Amino acid sequence: MSEAYILVVDDEPDIRMLLQDVLEDEGYQVALAGSVAEAKAQRRSRRPDLILLDVWMPDGDGISLLKEWGDDEGLPCPVVMISGHGNVETAVDATRLGAYDFIEKPLSIEKLLITLNNALEAARLQRENVGLKRHAGTVADPVGDSATMVNLRDQVQRMAQHDTWVLITGEPGVGKQTFARLLHARSARRESPFIVVSVGSLSGEEAIAELFGSEQGEHVRYGLLEQAAGGVLFLDEVAEMDLQTQGRLLHALDTQRITRIGGNQPISVNVRVIAGSQYDLAEAVKQGHFREDLYYRLNVLPLTIPPLREHPEDIPELLECHMRHLHQQEGLPPRAFQRPALERLQQYHWPGNVRELRNLVQRLMILGSGDEITRDEVERTLSGQPQRAEEGGEGTVAIPDLPLREAREQFEREYLQQQLERSEGNMTRLAERVGLERTHLYRKFKALGIDPKRVKSDS
């Protein structure tokens, strides 16, 4: 947090200079504005991490400016109001409009610094919570004590000590984003944002606007590169990025400067890039689908995540970890694997890797019954067959004790989740497998509470 960028907006030059001296002594970067117009210009030129905003200024007031910024894509960062003419009504208005706090003049420097630190920490925690929600359903750190996993964690630890770009490759579901988050957590940028770019969901001008931001009149939209300032930009499935965006991104990151769409002022950016791909980028370069210069820039520090079938000794620990995680996060009843069941799972080839393992554990916890999981139950689950009733005799199907509508929804949810996993999150392939149009599929997902993006969350 010591390098946070703070915008100080106050019409009194002495107070501006005092705050600049104090904040720079504390290690913050500081920009100054003495009016509403200057504040707008400074906010446009660079996304601040925090704004100190005076209420009264010669060309307007801070409360109106706070409301304007809140209406325009939401407040870009925590805002702390300061005023020598404050009252309870003004403080209430500021808080209602999203201000983090309201401090009266004359300023207590000690109180001010505590407030700023708390505001920056609250913003960091909020970013982490958003990231965790998007990453929900997965275990936070790579699991396993095999020689393979120990070596991978050692590589990540060494890579974390440098600020070079990293390319993480591996089959779908091996946990590329999990290792990227581990690398970020062990680096000097750990206190700064970790921003995920789902490259496959972007195309053309949409991708450029999402990455670089845009300007139109007073309206400013901060792109993902600015949001990742000081931290990490994770390019999920970077091979799916179109060539135009690849070129523009490479130039921006090499020069550490971007220009928003509709803007004309270059903006400094400082981010570390970690890219993930299930494809052979060298082959993509040969085929003309990926820029050679970007490939070599990314491939300075390569990290290859092997498939789960190459370290089956980690499977028991992975099963236990995901069982515990699902019990804690979703309240599912825990169960124990019998030894023959564990042996069968260690022999399985796991085409979907760790993501498939997690989904299998979830199915066994939701649809199974009894405290223990048998080899026969594992076989049926792996083959996609319905669970047999414990007491219904051979070949009978367990009938859930639910109303017909809820039972049908449960079946549809489980069926579509399995098919989505087998289609590796590809909606076109999924539509072909299940015989439904994509529009109908998306409506089904919404009605059943299925997020198709979660299939890629541990890619």
Side-chain angles (χ1 to χ4, degrees):
M1 282 298 181
S2 60
E3 296 183 359
Y5 174 64
I6 297 178
L7 171 59
V8 176
V9 184
D10 196 296
D11 66 333
E12 298 182 56
D14 291 345
I15 291 181
R16 289 200 302 272
M17 297 308 298
L18 171 65
L19 290 174
Q20 182 177 31
D21 290 343
V22 170
L23 294 176
E24 288 181 346
D25 285 345
E26 293 293 319
Y28 297 112
Q29 300 177 53
V30 181
L32 303 177
S35 65
V36 168
E38 289 178 8
K40 290 180 177 181
Q42 289 285 12
R43 174 179 172 266
R44 181 187 297 273
S45 68
R46 180 177 174 184
R47 180 179 183 271
D49 294 308
L50 185 143
I51 300 173
L52 271 174
L53 180 59
D54 193 12
V55 171
W56 301 110
M57 284 174 284
D59 56 344
D61 68 275
I63 298 296
S64 298
L65 187 57
L66 182 69
K67 184 178 187 306
E68 179 184 319
W69 284 344
D71 292 340
D72 180 21
E73 295 281 331
L75 293 176
C77 62
V79 176
V80 176
M81 303 296 296
I82 53 177
S83 177
H85 310 282
N87 53 46
V88 173
E89 184 179 351
T90 305
V92 169
D93 285 344
T95 304
R96 180 176 53 81
L97 292 171
Y100 178 81
D101 205 346
F102 187 99
I103 300 178
E104 291 187 87
K105 298 177 182 176
L107 298 174
S108 163
I109 298 302
E110 182 179 359
K111 179 181 179 181
L112 176 69
L113 292 176
I114 291 174
T115 301
L116 297 188
N117 183 70
N118 290 343
L120 290 166
E121 179 66 11
R124 183 184 70 83
L125 291 174
Q126 184 179 26
R127 286 196 306 269
E128 284 186 1
N129 288 337
V130 170
L132 288 172
K133 286 178 181 177
R134 290 175 179 168
H135 201 51
T138 61
V139 174
D141 292 328
V143 175
D145 293 321
S146 65
T148 296
M149 295 301 293
V150 170
N151 179 55
L152 284 171
R153 283 193 287 265
D154 180 62
Q155 289 185 64
V156 167
Q157 182 62 43
R158 283 183 278 123
M159 290 177 176
Q161 308 312 308
H162 305 278
D163 214 34
T164 311
W165 294 14
V166 176
L167 175 61
I168 304 178
T169 56
E171 295 180 2
V174 294
K176 295 185 284 293
Q177 188 178 144
T178 300
F179 276 95
R181 289 181 180 276
L182 178 65
L183 198 159
H184 172 245
R186 295 188 177 181
S187 74
R189 295 177 179 261
R190 67 181 68 89
E191 299 296 327
S192 297
F194 180 94
I195 301 295
V196 178
V197 182
S198 299
V199 174
S201 65
L202 304 177
S203 62
E205 286 301 312
E206 178 193 356
I208 294 173
E210 188 76 11
L211 287 168
F212 296 92
S214 61
E215 296 181 17
Q216 186 175 7
E218 293 296 330
H219 178 82
V220 178
R221 174 188 177 189
Y222 295 112
L224 294 174
L225 280 161
E226 287 185 85
Q227 294 177 38
V232 166
L233 191 74
F234 177 64
L235 302 173
D236 189 17
E237 292 305 338
V238 67
E240 298 180 11
M241 183 178 289
D242 64 81
L243 289 170
Q244 179 189 5
T245 308
Q246 289 178 33
R248 187 160 177 171
L249 178 66
L250 178 63
H251 179 265
L253 293 171
D254 276 344
T255 61
Q256 294 193 345
R257 299 176 79 81
I258 65 169
T259 303
R260 303 188 194 104
I261 293 178
N264 53 27
Q265 294 296 321
I267 300 157
S268 297
V269 292
N270 172 25
V271 299
R272 182 181 191 179
V273 174
I274 303 177
S277 179
Q278 62 178 294
Y279 302 106
D280 183 346
L281 291 188
E283 183 62 29
V285 170
K286 291 179 183 178
Q287 295 177 4
H289 300 317
F290 202 81
R291 291 179 61 107
E292 185 175 28
D293 47 4
L294 179 57
Y295 168 66
Y296 286 119
R297 187 75 163 85
L298 287 171
N299 204 38
V300 174
L301 291 179
L303 180 69
T304 301
I305 313 299
L308 183 56
R309 59 184 171 274
E310 293 185 9
H311 53 109
E313 60 270 41
D314 290 321
I315 288 173
E317 186 178 353
L318 279 163
L319 292 167
E320 180 183 352
C321 184
H322 283 283
M323 181 82 71
R324 183 171 60 251
H325 181 78
L326 287 165
H327 171 62
Q328 294 170 348
Q329 296 296 316
E330 300 184 17
L332 297 175
R335 307 176 69 199
F337 287 89
Q338 293 182 357
R339 181 172 293 277
L342 281 176
E343 291 172 352
R344 174 65 182 94
L345 291 172
Q346 287 183 287
Q347 295 163 1
Y348 180 59
H349 62 291
W350 296 107
N353 294 292
V354 177
R355 184 170 60 221
E356 183 184 4
L357 180 143
R358 189 260 181 196
N359 291 343
L360 177 135
V361 171
Q362 187 176 35
R363 287 197 297 273
L364 290 169
M365 295 176 76
I366 292 174
L367 300 179
S369 59
D371 294 334
E372 294 189 333
I373 300 169
T374 65
R375 181 183 178 115
D376 184 51
E377 185 180 354
V378 165
E379 291 285 6
R380 291 195 303 273
T381 304
L382 290 174
S383 65
Q385 296 175 9
Q387 300 291 329
R388 292 174 183 150
E390 294 297 322
E391 299 178 357
E394 191 72 17
T396 62
V397 177
I399 304 299
D401 186 18
L402 293 170
L404 177 60
R405 181 179 59 81
E406 293 182 24
R408 183 174 62 246
E409 287 181 356
Q410 177 176 305
F411 169 78
E412 289 183 346
R413 185 179 296 107
E414 176 65 18
Y415 171 76
L416 288 173
Q417 285 175 334
Q418 286 191 30
Q419 297 298 333
L420 186 61
E421 173 193 325
R422 292 171 183 173
S423 303
E424 297 180 350
N426 186 297
M427 295 298 291
T428 301
R429 288 202 296 267
L430 176 63
E432 292 173 354
R433 290 180 70 100
V434 303
L436 292 175
E437 294 183 358
R438 289 180 55 152
T439 303
H440 191 187
L441 268 178
Y442 280 114
R443 284 201 298 266
K444 273 285 186 189
F445 284 156
K446 184 175 182 179
L448 296 170
I450 299 173
D451 182 0
K453 294 180 181 179
R454 285 182 61 176
V455 163
K456 292 187 175 183
S457 67
D458 195 29
S459 63

